[in-house]
Amino acid sequence: MDREQAIAAVFGLYEQHGTADYIGEPVSQLEHMSQAAQQAMAEGFDDEVVLAAFFHDIGHLCGQGGENMGGYGVVSHERLGADYLRRAGFSERLAKLVEYHVQAKRYLTFTQPHYYARLSEASLRTLGYQGGVMTAEEAQTFEQDPLCEVSLRMRHWDEQAKAMHVPVVDLELLKCKARRLLGLPA
């Protein structure tokens, strides 16, 4: 698959499955991921981070039919999504940010007990499937990762990206960002 085909395939997932319910939240998959990307853009992050925010739950879309987390999405969606994006030609940094959004949730539930108390029902239910609260050793390792801080920002965007009636970002804008990252003319 060439890079143009990769972009068409990736964004095609949103066109095909984006209107689906976002696992027990009051927004669709597309609305959720759009809001996360909009927050990254509002904070001035680079295109890789913006697209990682948009793609963070793509594993729920590309992993359709995979093992289910009790009605709350696909098991290991973070890994499935990251691997899918790697195969599509996106950078390791972008793929790791997608993969780390679940690690960030596990980290925050360990380091900030009030964070755990604020999780939505869907986030609480999926935490068990995702390895549960991090151990002290896992948290220390995660803190050493150069992507830790931006992963924690992404997690906060993920938690906040559940507002109703927020217009969806223009997908052409995101496709242009993707083309630039893959070395194509925007």
Side-chain angles (χ1 to χ4, degrees):
M1 167 177 356
D2 73 19
R3 291 177 177 194
E4 274 298 342
Q5 291 172 321
I7 289 170
V10 168
F11 283 92
L13 289 171
Y14 291 90
E15 292 158 8
Q16 186 177 1
H17 304 291
T19 58
D21 175 56
Y22 176 61
I23 56 171
E25 302 291 355
V27 293
S28 70
Q29 293 275 359
L30 180 58
E31 289 168 326
H32 171 66
M33 292 187 260
S34 171
Q35 288 177 36
Q38 288 174 23
Q39 290 177 54
M41 286 187 283
E43 291 186 28
F45 279 89
D46 63 59
D47 288 351
E48 276 184 319
V49 174
V50 170
L51 286 174
F54 183 70
F55 294 148
H56 78 274
D57 276 341
I58 198 168
H60 290 304
L61 305 180
C62 69
Q64 298 264 328
E67 186 182 350
N68 192 285
M69 293 186 287
Y72 290 98
V74 178
V75 172
S76 299
H77 76 282
E78 70 282 7
R79 229 168 299 122
L80 291 170
D83 288 344
Y84 177 80
L85 293 166
R86 285 179 183 106
R87 287 191 305 274
F90 287 96
S91 72
E92 186 62 18
R93 178 178 179 242
L94 186 150
K96 279 189 174 181
L97 287 169
V98 167
E99 195 164 354
Y100 285 3
H101 83 279
V102 166
Q103 295 306 318
K105 176 169 110 176
R106 295 183 62 230
Y107 174 84
L108 289 168
T109 57
F110 172 74
T111 60
Q112 300 176 16
H114 66 279
Y115 177 82
Y116 182 90
R118 289 192 337 253
L119 288 176
S120 69
E121 177 67 21
S123 286
L124 284 170
R125 293 264 181 119
T126 57
L127 182 62
Y129 288 94
Q130 296 165 336
V133 175
M134 268 190 180
T135 64
E137 185 178 326
E138 288 173 318
Q140 187 176 21
T141 301
F142 188 61
E143 288 167 349
Q144 302 308 310
D145 193 293
L147 296 176
C148 178
E149 287 304 314
V150 71
S151 297
L152 296 176
R153 285 303 312 137
M154 275 188 54
R155 187 67 215 176
H156 287 294
W157 302 330
D158 186 4
E159 293 299 332
Q160 294 166 359
K162 298 171 185 176
M164 294 171 53
H165 313 297
V166 175
V168 172
V169 69
D170 181 1
L171 291 186
E172 284 306 314
L173 172 72
L174 296 176
K175 286 178 185 178
C176 284
K177 291 178 182 300
R179 283 187 186 97
R180 278 194 300 271
L181 289 180
L182 294 181
L184 297 169

Short mmCIF file of all heavy atoms in Angstrom, two decimals, residues 25-27 31 35 160-167:
data_model
loop_
_atom_site.label_atom_id
_atom_site.label_comp_id
_atom_site.label_asym_id
_atom_site.label_seq_id
_atom_site.Cartn_x
_atom_site.Cartn_y
_atom_site.Cartn_z
N GLU A 25 -20.20 6.51 26.15
CA GLU A 25 -20.09 7.96 26.37
C GLU A 25 -21.13 8.66 25.49
O GLU A 25 -21.64 8.08 24.54
CB GLU A 25 -18.67 8.45 26.03
CG GLU A 25 -17.56 7.78 26.82
CD GLU A 25 -17.53 8.14 28.30
OE1 GLU A 25 -18.31 8.99 28.75
OE2 GLU A 25 -16.71 7.55 29.02
N PRO A 26 -21.43 9.94 25.77
CA PRO A 26 -22.50 10.63 25.03
C PRO A 26 -22.08 11.19 23.67
O PRO A 26 -22.75 12.06 23.13
CB PRO A 26 -22.89 11.77 25.98
CG PRO A 26 -21.62 12.09 26.70
CD PRO A 26 -20.91 10.76 26.87
N VAL A 27 -20.96 10.72 23.12
CA VAL A 27 -20.45 11.20 21.84
C VAL A 27 -20.11 10.00 20.95
O VAL A 27 -19.97 8.88 21.43
CB VAL A 27 -19.19 12.09 22.02
CG1 VAL A 27 -19.53 13.39 22.73
CG2 VAL A 27 -18.09 11.34 22.75
N GLU A 31 -16.52 12.15 17.09
CA GLU A 31 -16.60 13.34 17.93
C GLU A 31 -15.55 13.29 19.04
O GLU A 31 -14.88 14.29 19.32
CB GLU A 31 -18.00 13.47 18.54
CG GLU A 31 -19.06 13.85 17.53
CD GLU A 31 -20.47 13.70 18.06
OE1 GLU A 31 -20.73 12.77 18.87
OE2 GLU A 31 -21.32 14.52 17.68
N GLN A 35 -12.40 15.92 19.21
CA GLN A 35 -12.22 16.82 20.35
C GLN A 35 -10.81 16.70 20.94
O GLN A 35 -10.21 17.71 21.33
CB GLN A 35 -13.27 16.54 21.43
CG GLN A 35 -14.65 17.00 21.04
CD GLN A 35 -15.69 16.65 22.08
OE1 GLN A 35 -15.43 16.68 23.28
NE2 GLN A 35 -16.89 16.29 21.62
N GLN A 160 -11.32 14.60 28.60
CA GLN A 160 -12.15 15.79 28.38
C GLN A 160 -12.92 15.73 27.07
O GLN A 160 -13.88 16.49 26.88
CB GLN A 160 -11.26 17.05 28.38
CG GLN A 160 -10.63 17.32 29.73
CD GLN A 160 -9.50 18.33 29.65
OE1 GLN A 160 -9.17 18.82 28.58
NE2 GLN A 160 -8.91 18.64 30.79
N ALA A 161 -12.54 14.85 26.17
CA ALA A 161 -13.11 14.82 24.82
C ALA A 161 -14.41 14.02 24.78
O ALA A 161 -14.57 13.09 23.99
CB ALA A 161 -12.09 14.24 23.84
N LYS A 162 -15.35 14.42 25.63
CA LYS A 162 -16.62 13.70 25.71
C LYS A 162 -17.79 14.67 25.80
O LYS A 162 -18.85 14.34 26.30
CB LYS A 162 -16.59 12.76 26.92
CG LYS A 162 -15.49 11.71 26.81
CD LYS A 162 -15.30 10.91 28.07
CE LYS A 162 -14.11 9.96 27.91
NZ LYS A 162 -13.81 9.24 29.12
N ALA A 163 -17.57 15.89 25.30
CA ALA A 163 -18.60 16.93 25.37
C ALA A 163 -19.56 16.80 24.19
O ALA A 163 -19.13 16.55 23.05
CB ALA A 163 -17.96 18.31 25.38
N MET A 164 -20.82 16.98 24.46
CA MET A 164 -21.82 16.90 23.39
C MET A 164 -21.87 18.21 22.61
O MET A 164 -21.55 19.27 23.14
CB MET A 164 -23.18 16.58 24.01
CG MET A 164 -23.23 15.19 24.63
SD MET A 164 -24.71 14.86 25.60
CE MET A 164 -26.01 15.26 24.47
N HIS A 165 -22.27 18.10 21.35
CA HIS A 165 -22.54 19.25 20.48
C HIS A 165 -21.30 20.09 20.14
O HIS A 165 -21.41 21.28 19.93
CB HIS A 165 -23.63 20.14 21.08
CG HIS A 165 -24.84 19.38 21.54
ND1 HIS A 165 -25.63 18.65 20.69
CD2 HIS A 165 -25.34 19.21 22.78
CE1 HIS A 165 -26.59 18.07 21.39
NE2 HIS A 165 -26.45 18.38 22.65
N VAL A 166 -20.12 19.47 20.12
CA VAL A 166 -18.91 20.16 19.69
C VAL A 166 -18.70 19.82 18.22
O VAL A 166 -18.63 18.63 17.87
CB VAL A 166 -17.68 19.73 20.53
CG1 VAL A 166 -16.41 20.36 19.99
CG2 VAL A 166 -17.88 20.07 22.00
N PRO A 167 -18.62 20.82 17.34
CA PRO A 167 -18.43 20.52 15.91
C PRO A 167 -17.14 19.70 15.68
O PRO A 167 -16.13 19.92 16.34
CB PRO A 167 -18.31 21.90 15.26
CG PRO A 167 -18.94 22.84 16.22
CD PRO A 167 -18.72 22.26 17.60
#
